[in-house]
Amino acid sequence: MANGNDSRTFKGVRSPCVPSRVLHVRKVPIEVSEAEVISLGVPFGKVTNLLMLKGKNQAFIEMASEEAAITMVNYYTTATPHVRNQPVYIQYSNHRELKTDNLPNQGRAQAALQAVNAMHSGNMGLSGSASSSEGALMPGQSPVLRIIVENLFYPVSLEVLHQIFSKFGTVLKIITFTKNNQFQALLQYADPLNAHHAKVTLDGQNIYNACCTLRVEFSKLASLNVKYNNDKSRDFTRLDLPSGDGQPALDHGVTAFGAPGIISSPYAGAAGFAPAISFPQAGLSMPTMPGALGPLAIPSSAVAGRMPIHSMAPAALHSVLLVSNLNPDSISPHGLFILFGVYGDVHRVKILFNKKENALIQMADATQAQLAMSHLNGQRLYGKVMRVTISKHQAVQLPREGQEDQGLTKDFSGSPLHRFKKPGSKNFQNIFPPSATLHLSNIPPSITDDILKDLFAGSGYSVKAFKFFQKDRKMALIQLGSVEEAIQALIELHNHDLGENHHLRVSFSKSTI
C-alpha cells in the first residue's frame, strides 16, 4: 500500500492550499467502491487516475485538468459530498500527479476508471428509469435545462429546485425568472448526461400534491453566466460573487445548499429520485450520483401514475429561523408572529430568556422559512437591522410547567390569523417584499379614507398618500414615510377591529400610489 510520503509514488510536492489536479479525499467509508469515489469527480470532467487507501479511509483522485479540480473543490466547499450517507472531505493534494503503475491492487481502480469513461463517452446507454429509447444520449445535448413551473399554488424557491435536481448529479448554476407570468428557471449540470436523466424523469411531475407541475426541456444555451449569488440566481462554483443591489447577501456559513442545508433530506413521504446508475461491464454499482440525498429508488407508481415528487407540503425540517439584533424594548412574540406571518404560517415564537435581542421562530415548513428569511433579513425594525438565518433547531420547545418564561414563548399553531392555511390560497400569489406602501383589505362600507388615515397617523405614522381601489372599496393602498414605518404599522394594525365585525387585513403591496 502506498503511503503519502513515498517519493517514488508521486512527483512534485506542494502545499495543499495551492490548486492541483490531484485531490485528496478524507473520511472515506471502508466499504466504498472505486466507482463511488470516481463518481465524485465525474460531473466536473474526466477522472484520469485513482488511488484508494482503504486502511486510512482516504483516496486520491486525479482529474484531467487543474481547472476541473478547482471547479470540483469550489463546488464541494459549499455542498459537502456524501458517500454511503457519510460526509467526505476533499482538498487539493500536495502531489502534482499520481504514479500508480507499480502499486498492488490497482487493477480494480483501472477497471472502474475504464467503465466510467466508457459510459461518459457514450458507449453505454443509461440504466435506471430511462427506457431504452430514451437511454442513448443524443449528440450535442446541452447540460442546461429550461424549467417551467405550472400551477404555482405554492412558492417554489431556488433551493427547492436545487434539492430536487441535485438528485441527478452536480448542479453548477441556477437562474430563476418570471416570463409570460410563469415562474421559470435555467439550470446547468456539470454533465449533459445528468441533464438528460433529470429531464426524462422529472418532466410532467408535480413538486407538491396536485400543483407546481414541472415542464423540463433542453435549453439552446451551452452554459449559463451568473453575475450575482442571491435568491434569484446562484453559481455554486463561485463563492466570491456579489449579491447584487438590494438582494440579501448569502451567509454561506448558514446555508450550505445541497449539503445538509436548508432542506437536507427528502420531504416525508417523498418519492425520492436518484436512479441507480450501474456499470454492467465492470460489475460495479454506484447507488447515486454525487449530491443525491442517499440511494432512493423511484417507486414504479411515481413513474406510471405521475405521483408528486414531494407528496405533501414540505415537512418541518429546518423550518426554524433564528432572528437576531432585535430591539428588546419594542419586540414581542405576537409582533414577530404578525410580521413573519406575512410569509408563512408561524407555529411558535420564542424570545430568548437570556438574550432578548434574539428569537427563534418556527414556521409551518422549510419553504416558508426560506421565504421569510429572503424577504426579512436585513430589514430595519424599531431602529435596528434584523438578521434572519436558518436555525439548527428542528423545533421551538415550549417551557415546562412551572418554568419561568416571562411570556417569552408563545404557541400560535391554532391561531385564526394564519394566512396560508387553505391549500392553493390566493395569498400565495400576493407575497411581496416589505415596502412603504401597504395593501389594506376587509374594510367595511362605513369606513372613510379619513378614518383610515387617522388610524395610521394617530399611531404615530406619517401618511404620504391614500387611495381606495376603484372597483372594490373593501380594499385600499396607504403609503407611509418609510419601509421601516410600514413594517411597524403592519405589526401594530393588522387585525385591528374596525367595527361591524370587520378586522383590518394589512399586507405589503407591490404597487405605489
Side-chain angles (χ1 to χ4, degrees):
M1 171 108 18
N3 78 33
N5 306 325
D6 186 342
S7 57
R8 287 168 307 161
T9 310
F10 305 104
K11 276 192 190 161
V13 176
R14 40 206 256 153
S15 96
C17 48
V18 178
S20 159
R21 68 192 183 100
V22 178
L23 300 171
H24 180 207
V25 189
R26 293 177 296 116
K27 301 260 180 97
V28 178
I30 191 92
E31 70 278 11
V32 163
S33 71
E34 285 79 359
E36 286 169 274
V37 176
I38 295 166
S39 77
L40 294 168
V42 160
F44 302 94
K46 188 173 179 181
V47 179
T48 48
N49 210 343
L50 171 72
L51 175 62
M52 301 278 279
L53 304 179
K54 287 205 170 179
K56 295 185 171 181
N57 299 99
Q58 296 179 18
F60 289 90
I61 298 173
E62 180 186 278
M63 301 299 288
S65 70
E66 198 171 284
E67 193 178 44
I70 292 169
T71 305
M72 181 169 161
V73 169
N74 285 348
Y75 179 83
Y76 287 137
T77 304
T78 62
T80 306
H82 285 62
V83 180
R84 301 277 174 121
N85 292 329
Q86 299 291 316
V88 295
Y89 300 93
I90 296 180
Q91 64 194 47
Y92 298 117
S93 165
N94 289 330
H95 309 293
R96 293 304 304 263
E97 63 175 303
L98 286 178
K99 298 281 284 178
T100 57
D101 302 349
N102 305 323
L103 296 176
N105 305 326
Q106 271 303 97
R108 285 179 56 181
Q110 295 309 314
L113 280 165
Q114 279 167 4
V116 173
N117 290 332
M119 180 178 177
H120 277 266
S121 56
N123 298 353
M124 284 192 223
L126 271 170
S127 69
S129 69
S131 69
S132 56
S133 64
E134 295 161 323
L137 204 60
M138 299 302 118
Q141 264 175 356
S142 164
V144 179
L145 294 175
R146 178 161 163 256
I147 301 152
I148 297 174
V149 184
E150 296 175 348
N151 304 325
L152 191 71
F153 291 134
Y154 204 86
V156 173
S157 66
L158 185 147
E159 278 69 49
V160 169
L161 291 177
H162 182 261
Q163 189 203 352
I164 293 166
F165 282 82
S166 286
K167 292 173 186 171
F168 297 89
T170 303
V171 175
L172 300 183
K173 301 169 187 178
I174 305 178
I175 298 170
T176 64
F177 54 95
T178 302
K179 186 177 176 185
N180 305 332
N181 287 332
Q182 283 182 313
F183 178 77
Q184 301 195 20
L186 292 165
L187 181 146
Q188 182 179 343
Y189 278 107
D191 191 304
L193 196 71
N194 305 145
H196 174 81
H197 216 151
K199 176 187 181 300
V200 165
T201 313
L202 294 178
D203 187 31
Q205 296 284 356
N206 293 334
I207 300 177
Y208 305 124
N209 262 345
C211 72
C212 302
T213 308
L214 289 168
R215 299 283 169 226
V216 186
E217 58 193 52
F218 286 106
S219 166
K220 295 187 177 70
L221 298 169
S223 72
L224 299 177
N225 180 19
V226 176
K227 296 192 176 74
Y228 302 115
N229 278 343
N230 54 41
D231 59 353
K232 303 280 188 295
S233 62
R234 193 90 36 93
D235 183 337
F236 294 94
T237 66
R238 295 271 313 274
L239 287 183
D240 54 328
L241 290 179
S243 63
D245 294 334
Q247 287 282 2
L250 291 166
D251 181 344
H252 288 283
V254 176
T255 50
F257 299 108
I262 299 298
I263 315 171
S264 67
S265 74
Y267 300 137
F273 287 111
I277 294 179
S278 58
F279 300 97
Q281 291 173 340
L284 299 165
S285 161
M286 187 173 84
T288 54
M289 288 303 284
L293 299 171
L296 300 153
I298 300 183
S300 52
S301 62
V303 179
R306 289 303 187 209
M307 187 175 142
I309 301 165
H310 301 320
S311 44
M312 40 205 285
L317 231 120
H318 297 288
S319 56
V320 178
L321 296 167
L322 171 64
V323 187
S324 52
N325 204 38
L326 293 165
N327 183 333
D329 302 326
S330 309
I331 206 63
S332 69
H334 180 77
L336 291 170
F337 163 70
I338 295 292
L339 176 58
F340 281 75
V342 172
Y343 299 105
D345 291 340
V346 176
H347 285 194
R348 291 179 179 175
V349 178
K350 180 191 280 290
I351 293 174
L352 301 192
F353 189 80
N354 297 326
K355 285 205 265 183
K356 292 195 172 63
E357 62 279 2
N358 293 350
L360 293 170
I361 299 178
Q362 183 177 335
M363 306 295 289
D365 63 50
T367 306
Q368 293 182 5
Q370 183 64 33
L371 209 56
M373 178 174 82
S374 64
H375 284 303
L376 293 175
N377 182 39
Q379 295 290 349
R380 287 184 75 82
L381 177 62
Y382 302 119
K384 300 189 75 169
V385 175
M386 211 175 8
R387 289 279 161 241
V388 185
T389 58
I390 300 286
S391 165
K392 63 179 184 294
H393 293 284
Q394 299 289 336
V396 170
Q397 300 299 321
L398 293 174
R400 293 186 299 280
E401 261 188 65
Q403 189 181 354
E404 190 189 358
D405 181 63
Q406 298 176 352
L408 295 175
T409 308
K410 286 270 192 289
D411 184 86
F412 295 101
S413 52
S415 170
L417 295 185
H418 285 162
R419 295 176 189 239
F420 304 102
K421 274 204 300 276
K422 291 190 191 114
S425 157
K426 271 213 314 264
N427 292 335
F428 283 123
Q429 293 153 33
N430 294 316
I431 294 176
F432 302 111
S435 59
T437 305
L438 295 171
H439 180 276
L440 312 179
S441 59
N442 204 31
I443 303 165
S446 61
I447 299 287
T448 63
D449 52 356
D450 285 340
I451 293 173
L452 286 167
K453 285 195 278 194
D454 289 347
L455 172 66
F456 281 81
S459 303
Y461 304 108
S462 51
V463 178
K464 299 291 186 199
F466 179 94
K467 76 166 186 196
F468 276 112
F469 278 58
Q470 273 179 324
K471 291 179 184 163
D472 186 354
R473 276 184 61 91
K474 293 201 284 291
M475 297 195 287
L477 295 177
I478 188 165
Q479 190 179 331
L480 304 183
S482 68
V483 175
E484 184 180 7
E485 269 194 55
I487 292 174
Q488 288 163 209
L490 180 140
I491 290 172
E492 188 179 343
L493 296 172
H494 177 66
N495 203 44
H496 179 82
D497 190 350
L498 292 171
E500 299 177 46
N501 215 4
H502 281 67
H503 287 77
L504 183 65
R505 289 181 58 86
V506 185
S507 312
F508 297 115
S509 172
K510 66 169 190 272
S511 314
T512 50
I513 304 173

